[in-house]
Amino acid sequence: MGTIHHKEKWECNQYLNGAGPPANQERPNGGRAGVALKNEQSIVGDQPDGDMKWISLPRSLPCYPHCGTIEIEYNFNDGMQTEKHPRPGKPFAGFRTVAYLPDDREGNELLRLLKQAFDQGLTFTVASGSNGSEAVTWSDIPHCTGFTNPEPYFLMTVKQVLKSKGIE
């Protein structure tokens, strides 16, 4: 699930991530580099290669007794950091976790959006820990990781965060 960065996307992402505006270069379509149009390209994150799988469970989440549950499993193996990570060429520790959504219309729509975020490399990142080593960790997209009551507006909050990243 690696991502290939086209020059225009990379420059735009550097700008969107606070690295300052890119050089004022012509793009093949006549536009300027660094101007990300919604239909032209999307934000690409620095998530390492990993897997996202999901299954439906017959068990209900406490706040959603009317339906089953979608269990999402994320898995990242140990690996080597690339130029998009804190210490290129150095190892990072993998990560495995699960998250839950209600298996209803709203939960399935959110699953579609979360899959898009994952495919764009926005769900996880590689970060330095307090002990100085790097590991895969969550980015800023909230997930319900326990089989408990999510906060009342959890699904709406996740949708708002995804919308802020251009995922609708």
Side-chain angles (χ1 to χ4, degrees):
M1 295 195 183
T3 303
I4 297 173
H5 294 284
H6 295 294
K7 187 172 194 238
E8 296 87 20
K9 278 187 181 180
W10 177 245
E11 289 174 348
C12 183
N13 288 333
Q14 286 179 318
Y15 179 69
L16 292 173
N17 290 328
N24 195 15
Q25 298 174 348
E26 285 291 329
R27 297 177 72 178
N29 65 2
R32 296 280 179 200
V35 179
L37 301 176
K38 190 171 186 175
N39 293 332
E40 195 174 313
Q41 64 187 43
S42 51
I43 298 171
V44 178
D46 63 356
Q47 173 179 292
D49 291 343
D51 294 313
M52 175 185 179
K53 300 175 186 175
W54 58 91
I55 60 171
S56 292
L57 303 175
R59 183 175 161 197
S60 297
L61 287 168
C63 279
Y64 299 91
H66 62 281
C67 62
T69 300
I70 299 169
E71 180 183 77
I72 306 167
E73 179 183 327
Y74 295 105
N75 190 41
F76 295 88
N77 293 324
D78 294 348
M80 297 300 284
Q81 296 179 59
T82 65
E83 66 281 347
K84 62 186 175 180
H85 298 123
R87 295 177 49 199
K90 300 293 182 186
F92 65 82
F95 184 62
R96 183 196 174 280
T97 190
V98 294
Y100 301 97
L101 295 170
D103 194 0
D104 61 5
R105 183 190 56 75
E106 190 175 18
N108 279 277
E109 173 64 13
L110 189 53
L111 175 63
R112 182 187 67 77
L113 299 173
L114 288 171
K115 174 68 171 134
Q116 184 178 344
F118 185 85
D119 289 346
Q120 288 178 220
L122 301 171
T123 310
F124 295 89
T125 190
V126 174
S128 296
S130 58
N131 64 359
S133 65
E134 281 81 24
V136 177
T137 188
W138 292 102
S139 69
D140 61 347
I141 300 172
H143 281 69
C144 178
T145 58
F147 214 89
T148 59
N149 281 336
E151 298 197 15
Y153 299 104
F154 174 74
L155 298 179
M156 185 178 6
T157 300
V158 177
K159 284 183 183 177
Q160 288 172 343
V161 170
L162 292 170
K163 186 176 183 176
S164 75
K165 297 177 181 302
I167 299 174
E168 305 184 66

